[in-house]
């Protein structure tokens, strides 16, 4: 009788954690490598779980893939480690238990850290070894990213007719990290051909049972659950799980009542936990009906955003729009900054953009400055958010804070790495890429946190994204724009452009896109400034002609500023009829230069309207 035939008739008990037992015995290195160097230890653990009552065990191959083994310099040992793992599990089982070949997920928070092509390649390498060694089925476990799990499940289903178990992992009760309800995710996995669907890791029995309450019995597949022992505690540099085995005995029947047919354990569980569950379920009769709870998600729409605050992407579609970047000061004291913000506001800008520690140099918090100019001056702030300085917790807290302050315009960017700034030894976080950050903000607009937990309100962010046209292959940069639009970007701000030909090229390359673009223009203040930007600032390129014009000004600051403004005005002229949006970057708090350029835009606009009336 095969695994699926048995699951049709009764609840099966699976094993628990492998790493927990090894860790408890002082092993603090690559657990999968022990298949080669300490095979007797692995066999002993398998045998302990079978003796405890496990009908199903899994190979010690959770992290036995190229990506994870490369961290230990073991990437060339993928075949050997996986082959040994199956043989050890089969030796221990000796016909008494089914052996599942385990493959763990690669992606965590930053989806971009492991592209799908790498996921596929790594997965196939491991899968083919496990199948060749004769496992009884395949267990896909600890997948936080549904896209990754659907991708590898499709591969597994194409390559084998053996049973495939597909497990997602949750940060929050009942929802995946992208906001997908657990019931929907499991239905999608069943539709892709998974024979058993369920969840493992992260949650203990209490919250895992809560999550399963909202999941109906699958039409064809079976349900499974491998809960953690508890939330881990951190003591004396080690992770400790507290939950005792008796608690698992108490909850085992509740899992059976939720329709679970394959019940095991994950982090923190031991043979004692498995023995307790097997004891509680001596009657292995499965349930065939259950009552599904429907949990309403309490989300309300933000109601205190003034109706007059037209979102920037709508505004720039309707008329000419000018926004200006004015960096918060590097030193304490904001009087000069506020004077510049007021002058720009009086000149008629639509928003003041505030960089987030540009060039990895610490400045006064742009969120604090944004709140001040909004309250005191009535200036609309556009706050830049980088992935560099905050981890996933900090990013979400920051977004909630901006929403609470009524600041709805944000620009999601990766951020310059710390090594180019004033503190090159500082850590660059990069939990998320700019694509992931855009997705996160879009999810906030749907009323859900990164983990899918309801926020209580929907945010109302207009999501700006960066576009660097100063590249050799403009088509590749446009492809990144298209991907950002798919992630949720509403409009774009470009890096400073210093070529009229580049402006026309950008127009041609992006005219098929519906997302508005603000063309970036930054006036030059000196020849030295021009050379620094050209040679040392990522994403900025100046033409030889412009560098020569600035060099001709010598050390005369007045003449250099005039020339810089003249160059900027020529760029405005080139962009005027091609783009509704202009994005000025103010150099060195020289807001007087930016004010002149803003007025130049408005004068051109007024002249154009007058000509239209005359020739009407």
């Amino acid at each position: 009788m095969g695994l699926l035939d048995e699951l049709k008739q009764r609840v099966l008990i699976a094993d628990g954690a492998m790493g927990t037992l090894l860790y408890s015995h002082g092993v603090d290195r690559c657990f999968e490598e022990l298949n080669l160097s300490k095979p007797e230890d692995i066999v002993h653990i398998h045998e302990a779980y079978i003796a405890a009552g496990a009908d199903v065990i899994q190979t010690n191959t959770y992290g036995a893939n190229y990506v994870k083994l490369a961290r230990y310099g073991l990437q060339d040992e993928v075949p050997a480690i996986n082959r040994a793992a199956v043989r050890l599990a089969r030796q221990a089982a000796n016909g008494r238990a089914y052996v599942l070949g385990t493959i763990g997920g690669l992606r965590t928070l930053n989806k971009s850290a492991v592209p799908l092509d790498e996921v596929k390649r790594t997965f196939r390498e491991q899968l083919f070894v496990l199948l060749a060694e004769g496992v009884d089925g395949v267990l896909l476990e600890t997948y936080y990213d549904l896209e990754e799990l659907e991708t590898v499940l499709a591969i597994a289903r194409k390559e084998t007719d053996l049973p495939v178990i597909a497990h997602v992992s949750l940060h929050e009760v009942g929802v995946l990290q992208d906001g997908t309800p657990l019931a929907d995710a499991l239905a999608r996995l069943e539709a892709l051909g998974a024979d058993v669907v369920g969840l493992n890791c992260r949650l203990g029995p209490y919250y895992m049972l809560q999550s399963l309450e909202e999941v109906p019995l699958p039409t064809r597949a079976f349900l499974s659950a491998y809960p953690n022992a508890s939330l881990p505690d951190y003591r004396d540099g080690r992770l400790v799980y507290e939950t005792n085995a008796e608690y698992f005995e108490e909850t085992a029947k509740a899992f059976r009542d939720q329709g679970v047919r394959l019940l095991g354990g994950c982090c923190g569980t031991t043979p004692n936990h498995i023995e307790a569950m097997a004891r509680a379920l001596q009657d292995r009769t499965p349930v065939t009906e259950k009552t599904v709870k429907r949990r309403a998600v309490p989300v309300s729409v933000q109601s205190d955003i003034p109706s007059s605050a037209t979102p920037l992407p709508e505004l720039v579609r309707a008329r000419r729009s000018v926004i200006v970047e004015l960096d918060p000061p590097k030193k304490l004291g904001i009087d000069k900054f506020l004077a510049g913000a007021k002058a720009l506001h009086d000149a008629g800008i639509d928003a003041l953009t505030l960089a987030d520690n540009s060039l990895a140099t610490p400045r006064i918090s742009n969120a604090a400055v944004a709140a001040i100019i909004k309250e005191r001056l009535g200036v609309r702030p556009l706050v830049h958010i980088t992935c560099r300085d905050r981890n996933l917790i900090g990013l979400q807290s920051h977004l909630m804070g901006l929403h609470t302050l009524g600041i709805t315009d944000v620009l999601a960017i990766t951020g310059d790495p710390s090594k180019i700034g004033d503190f090159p030894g500082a850590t660059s976080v990069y939990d998320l890429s700019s694509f992931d950050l855009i997705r996160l903000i879009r999810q906030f607009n749907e009323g859900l946190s990164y983990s899918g937990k309801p926020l209580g309100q929907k945010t109302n962010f207009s999501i700006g994204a960066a576009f660097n046209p100063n590249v050799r292959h403009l088509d590749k940069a446009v492809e990144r724009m298209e991907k950002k639009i798919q992630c949720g970007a509403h409009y774009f701000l470009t890096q400073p452009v210093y070529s009229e030909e580049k402006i026309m090229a950008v127009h041609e390359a992006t005219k098929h896109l519906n997302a508005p673009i603000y063309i970036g223009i930054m006036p030059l203040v000196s020849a030295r400034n021009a050379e620094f930007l050209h040679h040392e600032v990522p994403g900025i390129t100046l033409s030889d002609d412009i560098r020569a014009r600035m060099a001709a000004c010598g050390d005369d600051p007045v003449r250099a500023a005039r020339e810089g403004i003249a160059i900027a005005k020529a760029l405005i002229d080139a962009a005027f009829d091609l783009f509704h949006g202009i994005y000025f970057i103010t150099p060195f708090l020289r807001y007087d230069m930016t004010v002149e350029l803003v007025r130049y835009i408005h004068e051109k606009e007024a002249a154009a309207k007058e000509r239209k009336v005359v020739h009407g």
Side-chain angles (χ1 to χ4, degrees):
M1 184 180 294
L3 174 61
L4 297 181
D5 292 326
E6 287 216 49
L7 287 172
K8 290 176 183 177
Q9 300 179 15
R10 67 191 188 105
V11 177
L12 296 183
I13 300 298
D15 57 2
M18 173 71 70
T20 295
L21 294 180
L22 294 170
Y23 190 67
S24 68
H25 294 142
V27 177
D28 193 14
R29 56 194 175 96
C30 179
F31 296 145
E32 290 78 12
E33 187 277 334
L34 298 178
N35 296 331
L36 301 178
S37 62
K38 295 284 186 180
E40 64 280 0
D41 291 353
I42 305 303
V43 171
H44 176 73
I45 291 173
H46 285 318
E47 291 175 337
Y49 278 120
I50 294 170
D55 307 297
V56 179
I57 62 172
Q58 57 182 297
T59 56
N60 181 36
T61 54
Y62 167 74
N65 57 69
Y66 185 95
V67 172
K68 292 185 177 179
L69 290 179
R71 300 170 187 170
Y72 303 94
L74 297 170
Q75 62 270 25
D76 295 332
E77 301 298 322
V78 171
I81 288 174
N82 281 275
R83 277 197 296 268
V86 179
R87 293 170 185 176
L88 295 175
R90 284 222 164 277
Q91 175 186 334
N94 194 25
R96 297 174 296 165
Y98 297 102
V99 174
L100 300 178
T102 296
I103 302 178
L106 291 175
R107 288 179 166 182
T108 52
L109 302 177
N110 188 346
K111 292 163 69 79
S112 304
V114 187
L116 277 183
D117 286 346
E118 177 66 11
V119 168
K120 293 175 184 178
R121 189 202 68 76
T122 301
F123 179 78
R124 286 192 176 98
E125 180 183 26
Q126 190 176 4
L127 175 68
F128 292 158
V129 177
L130 295 174
L131 293 178
E133 288 299 317
V135 293
D136 298 313
V138 177
L139 172 61
L140 311 176
E141 68 164 11
T142 321
Y143 282 81
Y144 288 95
D145 182 62
L146 185 57
E147 179 187 40
E148 180 189 10
L149 181 51
E150 290 179 320
T151 299
V152 299
L153 172 58
I155 294 172
R157 193 70 290 166
K158 181 179 179 181
E159 298 296 338
T160 182
D161 293 326
L162 291 174
V164 177
I165 298 101
H167 280 175
V168 298
S169 296
L170 311 179
H171 293 291
E172 301 290 344
V173 174
V175 289
L176 278 67
Q177 66 182 19
D178 65 354
T180 303
L182 175 61
D184 294 349
L186 297 187
R188 285 163 58 173
L189 296 173
E190 182 183 15
L192 283 171
D195 299 293
V196 182
V197 295
L199 59 170
N200 78 288
C201 207
R202 182 69 175 87
L203 305 179
Y206 180 82
Y207 289 118
M208 198 167 279
L209 283 166
Q210 275 193 11
S211 299
L212 288 170
E213 288 175 353
E214 302 175 29
V215 176
L217 295 177
T219 304
R220 177 191 56 79
F222 303 108
L223 282 179
S224 59
Y226 286 43
N228 277 4
S230 64
L231 293 174
D233 192 12
Y234 193 70
R235 296 182 193 163
D236 301 323
R238 298 183 69 82
L239 294 174
V240 179
Y241 291 87
E242 293 289 356
T243 303
N244 57 41
E246 288 73 20
Y247 178 58
F248 267 58
E249 184 173 358
E250 294 170 9
T251 59
K253 290 183 179 179
F255 277 107
R256 193 260 307 272
D257 292 344
Q258 289 303 321
V260 170
R261 301 260 182 133
L262 180 62
L263 180 61
C266 202
C267 299
T269 57
T270 67
N272 290 336
H273 295 83
I274 302 307
E275 183 179 20
M277 292 194 296
R279 185 167 56 246
L281 291 178
Q282 293 183 36
D283 176 9
R284 300 292 188 86
T285 305
V287 301
T288 56
E289 295 180 353
K290 66 177 284 191
T291 301
V292 177
K293 284 189 177 181
R294 303 294 181 187
R295 183 173 288 114
V297 178
V299 175
S300 62
V301 178
Q302 172 79 349
S303 59
D304 59 358
I305 299 296
S307 58
S308 60
T310 304
L312 281 176
E314 292 182 20
L315 187 150
V316 72
R317 284 191 181 98
R319 63 165 174 80
R320 191 87 50 199
S321 176
V322 181
I323 61 178
V324 175
E325 180 174 322
L326 190 67
D327 283 348
K330 295 180 183 179
K331 297 180 179 179
L332 297 177
I334 61 171
D335 289 346
K336 183 177 180 181
F337 175 87
L338 290 179
K342 184 178 187 306
L344 290 164
H345 181 56
D346 293 343
I349 67 170
D350 292 307
L352 192 73
T353 83
L354 304 164
D356 191 9
N357 298 326
S358 57
L359 296 180
T361 298
R363 296 174 179 272
I364 295 175
S365 161
N366 62 355
V369 171
I372 290 172
I373 63 172
K374 180 175 182 287
E375 179 67 25
R376 294 188 192 177
L377 305 177
V379 174
R380 177 178 191 154
L382 193 168
V383 174
H384 300 200
I385 305 174
T386 71
C387 303
R388 179 195 58 235
D389 298 335
R390 304 174 188 86
N391 65 12
L392 182 57
I393 298 169
L395 284 170
Q396 293 185 92
S397 174
H398 189 49
L399 287 168
M400 287 190 283
L402 292 174
H403 170 80
T404 303
L405 291 168
I407 296 170
T408 60
D409 296 295
V410 295
L411 177 73
I413 54 177
T414 302
D416 303 309
S418 298
K419 63 183 180 181
I420 75 167
D422 290 353
F423 297 91
T427 302
S428 294
V429 182
Y430 297 131
D431 273 356
L432 303 182
S433 68
S434 57
F435 299 103
D436 300 321
L437 179 55
I438 290 166
R439 288 191 195 96
L440 172 62
I441 301 169
R442 181 183 66 183
Q443 195 162 309
F444 265 55
N445 283 347
E446 295 166 356
L448 299 171
S449 71
Y450 186 90
S451 63
K453 185 176 182 179
L455 291 169
Q457 291 183 345
K458 292 181 179 180
T459 59
N460 192 29
F461 291 116
S462 287
I463 308 170
F467 167 47
N468 180 17
N470 301 313
V471 292
R472 182 171 298 177
H473 301 291
L474 189 56
D475 58 329
K476 299 296 183 183
V478 174
E479 286 178 8
R480 287 178 60 85
M481 292 180 73
E482 293 169 341
K483 183 178 177 181
K484 288 181 179 181
I485 292 170
Q486 293 172 0
C487 293
H490 298 138
Y491 65 102
F492 290 87
L493 278 62
T494 80
Q495 289 276 25
V497 178
Y498 288 97
S499 162
E500 297 170 28
E501 292 75 18
K502 178 66 72 174
I503 289 173
M504 289 185 282
V506 170
H507 173 70
E508 284 299 314
T510 63
K511 62 184 180 183
H512 64 289
L513 300 178
N514 188 43
I517 297 173
Y518 283 85
I519 285 289
I521 297 174
M522 181 166 66
L524 300 168
V525 298
S526 66
R528 185 176 179 182
N529 170 227
E531 293 303 309
F532 171 75
L533 291 173
H534 179 73
H535 291 290
E536 299 193 36
V537 177
I540 297 180
T541 304
L542 276 63
S543 68
D544 291 341
D545 175 64
I546 287 177
R547 290 164 60 203
R549 287 171 63 180
M550 294 305 298
C553 298
D555 295 326
D556 185 341
V558 175
R559 183 183 172 193
R562 273 202 311 268
E563 191 63 38
I565 288 174
I567 291 169
K569 286 181 177 179
L571 295 170
I572 292 170
D573 292 342
F576 193 79
D577 292 326
L578 301 178
F579 295 95
H580 271 189
I582 299 294
Y583 162 45
F584 290 125
I585 300 96
T586 305
F588 309 110
L589 276 180
R590 288 290 303 274
Y591 59 84
D592 55 315
M593 299 177 70
T594 318
V595 166
E596 182 174 343
L597 295 174
V598 172
R599 288 174 177 161
Y600 180 72
I601 285 273
H602 291 316
E603 289 167 1
K604 283 184 68 71
E605 182 75 3
K609 288 180 179 178
E610 185 175 339
R611 285 195 301 272
K612 188 174 182 180
V613 171
V614 171
H615 299 289

